């Protein structure tokens, strides 16, 4: 079979079928929304079985959106939180990745520091926050540090385990070519680990968001978490819920962004199938 | 192949023993193996599964070190991999993030040479094994046989003096395997290199080789060497000739007598 014939065959295999959109997973996502909304609506507006201070009605939350989004300095608060998340994630993921590379290259370093680093991960953000505030104050820098601490471990541990996933045969191939440790790392181990590392990045991004918000809760001069505290003390539950939805939105955007980058970067994972029809050329 | 006996051996394996583990868990994979690989020949290591033939090959390739004994390559003691030795494994080991051409060029990249200088040669090799049209395809777009063809091009790109083949076509179906063996013979002749093939397929060993080294079950040792006198290039029809069948029977008997 020539190359063009193969491409033609692949094109036939993947030609769009009728009503394919019915199988789209997003249809399921869309179906969930009215269900949740109606349960919420039934519990609050219709039966009035949950007090508004615990769960506001959907209408009141909807109505609170323009009030919260239009409030003076709202965009500054959003920007503050986004900076904390992005900065913390970038810092934490970078440190996590390089620590993973470093520790994977030496059994001795692993034995010496891996238990310690894992134990460090067990310290909750809430406990660290007051200490960091005491050290570097209430500003954005402390929140970035907090988010970085919260997310580095996920990237670190997935990088470390992903780098060990290279097949023995592939490692032997590199050895037989007398590839240096560095060449084996860059040309074999890191690409092999990428799908796992991206899993760590997804996980790390969520923990970075949590880290930033929790530390804003503990003490901050700005940001969405700080805004939530203010709404809560004013018993403005509807506005509080608006910000919860904003966090949901941030989480969704972050997830989709990383997912998109992964698809571009780890393109071979999408099509890692053998084609038995090509067995004979 | 009488002229071959006069040339100095390219590889000399002397009294090589390999033990894995220690104490109660110690396993002797190879026991006092003596073997010579002559320049330009095609030698097969034939033996049952677990007879240590792959271990022997990995020691010749410098991937494993012998517990006892010595290996010399071109007269020099061999203790680590050499760029003059090319290895092929049971799997093609193609990196899925590289195109076929990029995979074939991997050795050159690792050696720090200019990739551009080697592209014509890589394309020539791909042409010879009939997959040049797939130079920009990724391995997962190729069949298993095509991937092994590419792996063959990769190992031949830098003209290794010695080819070490660890059942490279063992995972392929019978038909593909046979055509790959033909391909291999043709390319070994083209590259004028020496080859050592590990296999547990008697017919394949006899068909491919100038000499077949028959090994015993664990701990692996050399039973005998069979000289295969047929002319090259060898046609598949050879396998139905009486002389060929006799040699195969002889090898089978050696394997069963142990």
């Amino acid at each position: 079979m020539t190359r063009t014939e193969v491409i033609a065959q692949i094109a036939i295999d993947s030609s769009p079928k009728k009503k394919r959109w019915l199988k789209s997973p997003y249809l399921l996502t869309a179906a969930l929304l009215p269900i949740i909304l109606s349960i919420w609506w039934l519990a609050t507006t219709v039966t009035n079985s949950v007090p508004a201070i615990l769960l506001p009605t959907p209408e009141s939350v909807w109505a609170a959106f323009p009030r919260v989004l239009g409030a003076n300095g709202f965009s500054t608060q959003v920007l503050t939180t986004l900076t904390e998340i992005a900065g913390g994630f970038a810092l934490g993921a970078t440190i996590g990745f390089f620590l993973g590379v470093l520790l994977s290259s030496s059994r001795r370093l692993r034995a010496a520091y891996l238990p310690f680093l894992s134990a460090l991960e067990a310290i909750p953000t809430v406990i660290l926050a007051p200490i960091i505030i005491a050290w570097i104050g209430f500003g954005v820098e402390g929140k970035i540090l907090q988010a970085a601490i919260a997310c580095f471990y996920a990237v670190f541990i997935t990088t470390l385990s992903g780098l060990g996933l290279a097949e023995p045969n592939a490692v032997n191939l590199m050895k037989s070519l007398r590839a240096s440790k560095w060449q084996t790392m860059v040309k074999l181990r890191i690409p092999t680990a990428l799908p796992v590392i991206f899993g760590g990045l997804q996980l790390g991004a969520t923990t970075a968001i949590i880290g930033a918000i929790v530390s804003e809760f503990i003490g901050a001069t700005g940001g969405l978490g700080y805004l939530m505290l203010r709404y809560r003390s004013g018993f403005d539950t509807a506005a509080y819920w608006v910000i919860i939805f904003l966090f949901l939105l941030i989480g969704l955007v972050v997830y989709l962004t990383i997912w998109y980058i992964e698809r571009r970067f780890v393109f071979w994972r999408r099509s890692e199938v053998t084609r038995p029809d090509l067995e004979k050329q | 192949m009488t002229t071959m006996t006069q040339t100095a051996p390219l590889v000399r394996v002397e009294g090589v023993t390999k033990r894995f583990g220690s104490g109660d868990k110690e396993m002797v994979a190879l026991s006092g193996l003596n073997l010579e690989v002559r320049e330009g020949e095609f030698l097969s290591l034939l033996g049952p599964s677990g007879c240590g033939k792959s271990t022997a090959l990995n020691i010749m390739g410098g991937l494993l070190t012998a517990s006892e004994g010595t290996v010399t390559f071109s007269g020099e003691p061999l203790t680590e991999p050499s760029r003059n030795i090319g290895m092929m494994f049971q799997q093609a080991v193609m990196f899925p993030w590289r195109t076929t051409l990029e995979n074939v060029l991997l050795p050159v990249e690792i050696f720090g040479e200019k990739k551009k200088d080697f592209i014509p040669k890589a394309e020539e090799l791909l042409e010879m094994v009939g997959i040049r049209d797939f130079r920009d395809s990724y391995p997962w777009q190729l069949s298993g046989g095509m991937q092994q063809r590419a792996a063959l091009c990769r190992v031949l790109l830098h003209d290794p003096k010695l080819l070490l083949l660890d059942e490279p076509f063992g995972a392929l179906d019978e038909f593909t395997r046979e055509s790959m063996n033909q391909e291999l013979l043709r390319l070994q002749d083209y590259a004028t290199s020496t080859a050592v093939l590990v296999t547990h397929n008697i017919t394949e060993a006899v068909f491919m080789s100038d000499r077949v080294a028959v090994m015993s079950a664990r701990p692996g040792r050399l039973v005998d060497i069979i000289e295969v006198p047929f002319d090259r290039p060898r046609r598949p029809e050879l396998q139905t000739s009486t002389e060929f069948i006799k040699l195969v029977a002889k090898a089978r008997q050696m394997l069963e007598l142990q």
Side-chain angles (χ1 to χ4, degrees):
Chain A
M1 222 190 266
T2 68
R3 182 180 165 78
T4 37
E5 278 170 334
V6 169
I7 289 171
Q9 187 58 45
I10 293 171
I12 291 166
D13 288 349
S14 54
S15 65
K17 303 222 164 61
K18 274 178 199 167
K19 293 187 180 171
R20 184 169 247 193
W21 63 272
L22 273 175
K23 289 184 180 168
S24 163
Y26 306 115
L27 220 58
L28 296 177
T29 321
L32 197 62
L33 205 64
I35 297 173
I36 292 175
L37 273 177
S38 37
I39 293 174
W40 182 12
W41 184 63
L42 281 171
T44 52
T45 316
V46 179
T47 63
N48 209 2
S49 50
V50 185
I53 192 79
L54 295 184
L55 185 63
T57 62
E59 300 98 300
S60 63
V61 172
W62 184 251
F65 262 93
R67 180 156 49 86
V68 173
L69 269 53
N72 212 5
F74 174 76
S75 54
T76 320
Q77 312 287 19
V78 174
L79 211 64
T80 304
T81 300
L82 288 182
T83 310
E84 292 163 5
I85 294 170
F89 178 59
L91 184 66
T94 310
I95 294 173
F97 175 76
F98 283 108
L99 263 182
V101 171
L102 188 70
L103 259 71
S104 85
S105 64
S106 156
R107 190 172 300 200
R108 208 164 135 212
L109 282 179
R110 270 202 300 285
Y113 297 125
L114 188 54
F116 173 69
L117 283 168
S118 300
L120 212 61
E121 170 63 10
I123 301 173
T125 313
V126 199
I127 295 176
L128 280 182
I131 300 172
I132 289 173
I133 290 169
W135 284 348
I136 46 180
F138 288 95
V140 173
E141 300 84 2
K143 307 295 175 276
I144 289 179
L145 184 62
Q146 188 87 60
I149 292 172
C151 82
F152 105 93
Y153 188 75
V155 182
F156 160 71
I157 204 78
T158 48
T159 303
L160 185 60
S161 61
L163 291 175
L165 286 178
E167 275 182 60
N169 266 337
V171 176
N172 273 342
L173 172 72
M174 295 305 267
K175 269 191 204 160
S176 78
L177 295 170
R178 295 186 62 108
S180 66
K181 242 182 151 179
W182 172 248
Q183 284 175 321
T184 308
M185 180 63 76
V186 173
K187 293 185 198 295
L188 172 65
R189 291 194 189 278
I190 291 177
T192 307
L194 273 184
V196 183
I197 294 175
F198 268 101
L201 288 174
Q202 285 289 12
L203 197 62
T206 25
T207 50
I209 297 175
I210 296 172
I213 297 168
V214 167
S215 62
E216 281 182 357
F217 256 73
I218 303 296
T221 50
L224 286 175
Y226 161 81
L227 212 55
M228 284 180 102
L229 278 184
R230 270 187 27 199
Y231 284 127
R232 198 183 62 175
S233 55
F235 297 103
D236 192 346
T237 327
Y240 192 87
W241 275 83
V242 168
I243 298 180
I244 290 181
F245 280 112
L246 285 180
F247 281 132
L248 198 65
L249 185 70
I250 292 173
L252 198 64
V253 169
V254 168
Y255 172 83
L256 289 175
T257 309
I258 297 174
W259 173 79
Y260 180 74
I261 296 171
E262 179 180 359
R263 270 178 71 92
R264 300 303 298 272
F265 245 82
V266 197
F267 60 93
W268 63 91
R269 285 279 292 190
R270 272 179 288 150
S271 352
E272 221 167 43
V273 282
T274 47
R275 296 185 55 86
D277 52 313
L278 292 180
E279 205 56 53
K280 292 298 292 172
Q281 199 201 322
Chain B
M1 295 289 144
T2 43
T3 50
M4 290 265 172
T5 43
Q6 276 119 43
T7 34
L10 182 64
V11 182
R12 179 175 275 143
V13 178
E14 277 178 314
V16 165
T17 293
K18 180 67 185 176
R19 285 182 290 266
F20 290 105
S22 58
D24 290 344
K25 286 177 190 153
E26 188 183 275
M27 194 270 280
V28 184
L30 271 181
S31 166
L33 181 73
N34 291 303
L35 191 68
E36 284 182 358
V37 184
R38 301 164 186 166
E39 190 108 41
E41 80 168 333
F42 196 115
L43 176 87
S44 283
L45 288 180
L46 176 67
S49 290
C51 74
K53 51 194 193 299
S54 288
T55 305
L57 199 79
N58 283 334
I59 291 173
M60 283 190 235
L63 290 180
L64 288 175
T65 46
S67 310
E68 280 168 37
T70 55
V71 177
T72 56
F73 174 64
S74 297
E76 304 279 324
L78 182 106
T79 49
E80 51 181 9
S82 156
R83 286 180 177 173
N84 283 317
I85 300 176
M87 298 193 77
M88 255 183 106
F89 308 95
Q90 193 161 12
Q91 279 84 36
V93 201
M94 293 273 117
F95 295 169
W97 48 88
R98 286 169 171 259
T99 63
T100 305
L101 184 67
E102 287 166 353
N103 267 296
V104 171
L105 290 170
L106 178 77
V108 172
E109 218 178 287
I110 288 170
F111 299 167
E113 288 166 62
K114 275 210 191 94
K115 269 199 285 185
K116 240 170 68 185
D117 298 347
F118 284 83
I119 289 177
K121 183 164 185 208
E123 286 185 331
E124 188 192 338
L125 284 165
L126 288 171
E127 175 82 52
M128 287 186 79
V129 297
I131 55 169
R132 192 183 164 167
D133 283 346
F134 294 89
R135 47 164 276 176
D136 297 321
S137 301
Y138 289 94
W140 32 269
Q141 296 171 317
L142 306 183
S143 69
M146 287 154 89
Q147 289 188 33
Q148 276 296 15
R149 278 165 217 262
L152 192 55
C153 297
R154 179 180 59 201
V155 75
L156 290 173
L157 183 72
H158 55 99
D159 284 318
K161 284 165 96 176
L162 176 65
L163 285 176
L164 299 179
L165 313 158
D166 191 359
E167 293 193 69
F169 313 131
L172 303 177
D173 66 88
E174 191 65 30
F175 301 105
T176 314
R177 187 184 173 122
E178 209 156 280
S179 73
M180 287 304 298
N181 278 336
Q182 288 284 346
E183 214 80 75
L184 177 58
L185 285 181
R186 201 157 57 91
L187 283 171
Q188 188 228 352
D189 189 49
Y190 160 85
T192 60
S193 60
T194 308
V196 179
L197 172 75
V198 158
T199 181
H200 54 235
N201 185 319
I202 305 172
T203 318
E204 180 177 273
V206 175
F207 182 73
M208 304 285 286
S209 318
D210 298 308
R211 293 190 306 148
V212 178
V214 181
M215 290 178 68
S216 70
R218 193 183 305 153
R221 60 176 81 232
L222 188 65
V223 176
D224 204 355
I225 290 184
I226 300 175
E227 300 267 348
V228 185
F230 308 117
D231 289 337
R232 293 185 187 275
R234 292 180 184 170
R235 310 288 314 148
E237 302 85 82
L238 175 69
Q239 297 177 39
T240 51
S241 73
T242 323
E243 294 83 3
F244 186 88
I245 292 167
K246 272 185 188 158
L247 273 184
V248 170
K250 187 177 166 191
R252 184 179 297 278
Q253 205 179 15
M254 276 181 189
L255 285 167
E256 281 166 1
L257 272 179
Q258 297 156 26

